[in-house]
Amino acid sequence: MVHPPIHPDERAARVQLAACYRIFAMLGWTEMIYNHITVRLPDSVTGGEKQFLINPFGLHYSEVTASNLVKIDLAGRVLDGSTHRVNPAGFVLHAAIHDGVPDAHCVMHTHTTAGVAVACLEGGLQQTNFYSAQLHGMVAYHDFEGITIHADEGPRVIRSIGDRQAVILRNHGLLAWGHTLPQTFAILWTLQRACEIQMATFSMGRAIPVSEAVAEKCTRDALQFDPSHGAGQDVFDALVRQVDRIDPSYRD
C-alpha cells in the first residue's frame, strides 16, 4: 500500500514534536509509557479540521520518532493508518483543550515528582520563589475527578483553565498549553522549576513570601513567554541541539 506524501507542514510538526519527546526523556520528565505532549496540526494540513499528533501508546518517550507519532481526530480516531494504539487518558484531556481553547496549538502534561507533590498540596503553588513569581496570574487549578478517560470532564477542564496557560491538575500533575510548542515548553519548564524549588524549600522550613507587587513586576519583566522575544524558541533550539548530539534518530 502506497501512502500519500506527508505535507511539509505536517513533517515539520512531527519532527519538532518528536524532538520534544526526546527532550522530556533527557530531562527525566517521563512516566514509564504514560503522559502526553500533543500538537494540533495547522489548517494547511487539515483543511480546517481539528487533528493532532500524539505519542504511540506503549513506547517510552526515548522511542518516539517523527514517523511513529499518531495522527488522530478529536474522537481519538487514527487518521494516518498507524497500527499503534492511543491511550484514551491522553486524547480525552488533550482533545478537550485543543477543541475548547482556540489558541492551544500544543498541550503538555507531566507527572513529575515535584509537580504531583505541589498538585497534592492543599495550598498548591506558593508565591515564594523566583519562578513562581514569574507565573503571577497565569496558574489555573482543576479539581481531581479521577483518571481522565471520561469526555464529560472536558467542559469542566476548559472552565477551570479559562485563559491561563499554566495548569495544576489537583492530586494529579502539571499541564501547560501554548500558541507554539516552544512557548508551551517554556511555560511548563517554569512551572516545573517553581514546583521543584518549592518542594525543596518547604522541606527545610517556612518560605519567605513574595509580595503581590513584586510578583506582578516579575511576570511583566519575564519575557520568555512573549512571542516578540521568541517565546521560548531559543531555549528549545538549544535543547534540540543537545538531543541531536545524543541521538538524532527521532527525526526518522
Side-chain angles (χ1 to χ4, degrees):
M1 179 179 176
V2 178
H3 294 285
I6 293 177
H7 191 287
D9 293 345
E10 179 176 340
R11 171 65 186 167
R14 284 178 173 271
V15 171
Q16 185 186 58
L17 180 55
C20 192
Y21 275 102
R22 297 300 183 93
I23 288 169
F24 273 43
M26 182 176 68
L27 295 175
W29 292 1
T30 56
E31 189 76 0
M32 304 296 283
I33 59 171
Y34 303 104
N35 295 172
H36 307 279
I37 314 163
T38 56
V39 165
R40 181 177 163 183
L41 288 167
D43 290 348
S44 59
V45 175
T46 69
E49 295 294 319
K50 291 181 178 178
Q51 302 172 0
F52 57 101
L53 298 172
I54 193 168
N55 51 318
F57 189 43
L59 297 188
H60 188 265
Y61 281 15
S62 61
E63 299 176 293
V64 173
T65 66
S67 60
N68 68 28
L69 287 163
V70 184
K71 179 163 63 172
I72 59 176
D73 63 14
L74 294 174
R77 289 185 291 260
V78 175
L79 303 174
D80 57 2
S82 175
T83 57
H84 289 286
R85 294 181 300 146
V86 174
N87 185 358
F91 75 75
V92 168
L93 178 62
H94 287 244
I97 298 170
H98 282 297
D99 188 33
V101 181
D103 291 327
H105 166 76
C106 179
V107 180
M108 299 177 177
H109 173 47
T110 58
H111 286 179
T112 60
T113 299
V116 176
V118 171
C120 293
L121 193 65
E122 191 171 337
L125 186 66
Q126 313 281 310
Q127 208 164 262
T128 58
N129 67 61
F130 178 82
Y131 293 103
S132 61
Q134 296 177 51
L135 295 168
H136 182 268
M138 290 182 60
V139 181
Y141 290 85
H142 177 67
D143 288 340
F144 186 57
E145 298 188 24
I147 298 173
T148 50
I149 57 174
H150 302 289
D152 66 334
E153 186 178 355
R156 293 188 291 277
V157 172
I158 301 305
R159 285 197 298 272
S160 296
I161 290 174
D163 61 355
R164 298 188 174 195
Q165 291 178 265
V167 184
I168 294 178
L169 302 171
R170 294 192 190 276
N171 310 100
H172 185 167
L174 305 181
L175 184 144
W177 62 269
H179 301 80
T180 66
L181 185 150
Q183 182 194 51
T184 310
F185 178 82
I187 293 166
L188 184 64
W189 184 86
T190 305
L191 182 60
Q192 169 68 20
R193 287 293 289 147
C195 290
E196 289 172 348
I197 294 167
Q198 177 170 312
M199 189 169 71
T201 305
F202 283 24
S203 71
M204 297 186 294
R206 296 183 63 180
I208 304 166
V210 175
S211 71
E212 288 288 304
V214 170
E216 287 177 6
K217 181 174 181 289
C218 285
T219 300
R220 283 198 307 272
D221 292 346
L223 301 174
Q224 70 268 33
F225 313 136
D226 188 337
S228 63
H229 290 268
Q233 187 69 55
D234 49 359
V235 172
F236 185 77
D237 288 346
L239 290 170
V240 170
R241 291 193 297 271
Q242 192 171 350
V243 168
D244 278 334
R245 288 192 292 271
I246 298 168
D247 178 10
S249 66
Y250 71 90
R251 295 180 177 273
D252 298 336

